[in-house]
Amino acid sequence: MDKIGFMKKDMYNLECSVNEKLRNHDVELVTEYFMAEQKKNEAFYFRIEGDGDNRFSRCFWADATSRRAYGFYGDVVVFDTTFNTNRYDLTFAPMLGVNNHGQTIVLACAFLSKETTE
């Protein structure tokens, strides 16, 4: 440890600095990431809605594998919003199915600010 050249406090300070720079750019950063994923594979689908303050109100995404799986195993879909909210006060809502081997598979995912019908 004495040969590393920095201490735990230095790492903590760096992390705080990076987090401060990224704060309030969440929608922008995730949109850029999803657009890059879509560029790699045009079957990647996403939709993001913000609240006007550069924060998420809703975010939905499904990659190519999940979308293909939905075509095969989408007869029964579980939309589970029982997950706790995260530090952004968003509920994680995976859409799950079951494949022909009885295994749970992810069909899509979402973050929701409100658990309303919309």
Side-chain angles (χ1 to χ4, degrees):
M1 285 297 285
D2 59 331
K3 293 183 174 53
I4 291 178
F6 59 88
M7 300 185 306
K8 236 182 206 183
K9 182 69 174 168
D10 296 324
M11 288 302 296
Y12 174 79
N13 289 340
L14 176 64
E15 183 179 3
C16 288
S17 172
V18 169
N19 287 341
E20 186 63 34
K21 288 177 186 173
L22 297 177
R23 193 178 320 277
N24 298 324
H25 297 284
D26 301 340
V27 174
E28 179 184 330
L29 292 170
V30 172
T31 301
E32 285 177 18
Y33 175 77
F34 282 168
M35 288 177 76
E37 289 299 306
Q38 194 172 52
K39 197 172 190 177
K40 286 187 229 173
N41 187 334
E42 59 188 46
F44 183 89
Y45 175 82
F46 72 96
R47 181 166 178 177
I48 296 174
E49 294 180 17
D51 65 359
D53 292 327
N54 221 8
R55 290 182 42 134
F56 287 117
S57 62
R58 292 187 283 251
C59 176
F60 174 88
W61 72 96
D63 65 12
T65 303
S66 296
R67 292 181 72 192
R68 187 171 50 253
Y70 178 77
F72 294 123
Y73 311 113
D75 298 338
V76 176
V77 176
V78 176
F79 182 67
D80 185 4
T81 60
T82 60
F83 286 89
N84 293 332
T85 58
N86 57 23
R87 69 180 178 172
Y88 296 100
D89 202 28
L90 297 169
T91 301
F92 178 61
M95 281 138 256
L96 308 170
V98 178
N99 69 13
N100 59 336
H101 300 289
Q103 299 167 323
T104 302
I105 56 173
V106 177
L107 302 173
C109 295
F111 282 115
L112 306 169
S113 60
K114 298 177 188 154
E115 293 184 56
T116 61
T117 303
E118 298 83 32

